[in-house]
Amino acid sequence: MNSANSPLTDAALIEALAFYAEMGVDEAVCEAPIDRTTAPPPPKVVPFKPRAAKPAAPPPVAEPKRDYVSEARQRAQNAQDLDALHAALVGFEDVPLRAGAKQAVFADGDPAADLMVIGEAPGRDEDRIGKPFVGRSGELLDRMLAAIGRARGESDPKKGAYIGNVIPYRPLQNRTPADDEVAVFLPFIERQIELAAPKVVLCIGNVPAKHLMQASTGIMRYRGTWSSLTFGNQTVAALASFHPAFLLRSPDKKREAWRDLLALEAKLKELT
Ligand code: URA
């Protein structure tokens, strides 16, 4: 031990060593001596640095609202034939009404026929089978067509009929589709008419009369009205009449429906 740095005298240090020896202390614990007579160095003070605050998360960016109608127009316009249009419709995913339906119901009959019949939307049977008008109202429609010498299975364009719907997916509970739901699918049925290019279109029920023919009144007053539809390069004569589902419930209206069928037959004869 170096007495030079100690405040104790050499004599006091020797006395302390003698005391340690007497107490049985016979070896040093550390390699280097520790002078316990001087004050320990002050603890190292590390200056307090406040932790930088975490940057606030950016506010959530609102997803831009999907413009179904523009997408539908684009898809429908890009389709150059009916098969491509059908594929474009099936590829149009996560759209209104689709989640509740089993499949898209696109068309039945011969697209070369000079008559096209357009209904509202598939019901339960159509949703299951994938073709328009296959249930009870379809049976009545087939009888109505037969009355003017037409059948959907006929390959002669003068005897056949091509059948579609404004809406390709079954609305749950067969409810009437809302206007904004119709707007999403309108570009498809309009393009379907343009590509099939029939001579005459028969619009059955309120929905096709309102959305394709711009009927200003309900079908009760509008039935029997003719107008011309223009889609792209095609202009086609269109007649509004009752929906067969309505005729099943109101058979007394068949007389007016029959008048419409005769007018339709006459127009087809005139144009073909
Ligand atoms: N009603 C319609 O309007 N379309 C169908 O396909 C079936 C029933």
Side-chain angles (χ1 to χ4, degrees):
M1 188 177 291
N2 183 0
S3 63
N5 298 329
S6 171
L8 300 179
T9 60
D10 286 354
L13 287 171
I14 289 165
E15 208 171 301
L17 280 174
F19 172 73
Y20 289 153
E22 214 171 292
M23 298 308 291
V25 177
D26 56 3
E27 63 180 343
V29 175
C30 303
E31 287 287 313
I34 299 171
D35 182 357
R36 298 189 193 280
T37 60
T38 54
K44 220 170 143 192
V45 177
V46 180
F48 173 71
K49 261 205 263 155
R51 275 240 299 268
K54 250 191 172 170
V61 181
E63 285 265 314
K65 237 179 137 205
R66 192 169 161 198
D67 184 350
Y68 293 111
V69 177
S70 302
E71 268 185 63
R73 270 198 215 112
Q74 192 72 52
R75 282 181 167 270
Q77 280 312 310
N78 287 345
Q80 298 307 310
D81 58 38
L82 289 165
D83 286 343
L85 185 66
H86 187 190
L89 176 68
V90 171
F92 191 28
E93 289 181 339
D94 302 320
V95 290
L97 298 174
R98 183 165 175 160
K102 284 192 170 55
Q103 57 188 316
V105 174
F106 185 66
D108 195 17
D110 181 11
D114 44 36
L115 170 64
M116 181 166 179
V117 180
I118 301 177
E120 182 178 304
R124 199 186 46 195
D125 295 326
E126 291 76 17
D127 183 45
R128 189 168 45 84
I129 291 170
K131 287 185 178 175
F133 287 100
V134 291
R136 277 189 70 220
S137 56
E139 282 169 20
L140 178 54
L141 176 63
D142 285 343
R143 275 188 270 133
M144 290 161 69
L145 291 174
I148 56 166
R150 299 256 161 188
R152 64 172 99 187
E154 182 56 69
S155 56
D156 177 349
K158 286 188 177 4
K159 294 182 181 166
Y162 182 53
I163 302 175
N165 277 316
V166 172
I167 299 276
Y169 295 108
R170 178 195 181 203
L172 286 177
Q173 274 88 45
N174 293 349
R175 66 170 169 78
T176 302
D179 286 358
D180 57 346
E181 291 167 337
V182 174
V184 173
F185 296 106
L186 214 48
F188 286 95
I189 187 67
E190 290 179 350
R191 185 77 173 141
Q192 198 173 349
I193 299 168
E194 187 185 352
L195 292 169
K199 299 278 189 301
V200 180
V201 166
L202 176 65
C203 289
I204 45 177
N206 253 319
V207 171
K210 176 175 173 188
H211 293 277
L212 290 172
M213 298 177 71
Q214 323 307 330
S216 51
T217 63
I219 195 69
M220 299 301 282
R221 292 184 58 192
Y222 195 72
R223 65 135 281 280
T225 303
W226 284 94
S227 86
S228 32
L229 312 181
T230 301
F231 305 122
N233 302 325
Q234 298 292 329
T235 295
V236 56
L239 172 66
S241 191
F242 290 135
H243 193 285
F246 169 73
L247 294 173
L248 287 171
R249 293 193 301 273
S250 311
D252 56 312
K253 296 290 175 194
K254 283 185 182 165
R255 187 199 299 254
E256 287 154 274
W258 177 236
R259 252 188 263 147
D260 296 339
L261 284 174
L262 292 179
L264 177 69
E265 187 181 30
K267 180 69 94 183
L268 281 162
K269 281 205 174 114
E270 174 195 323
L271 295 178
T272 60

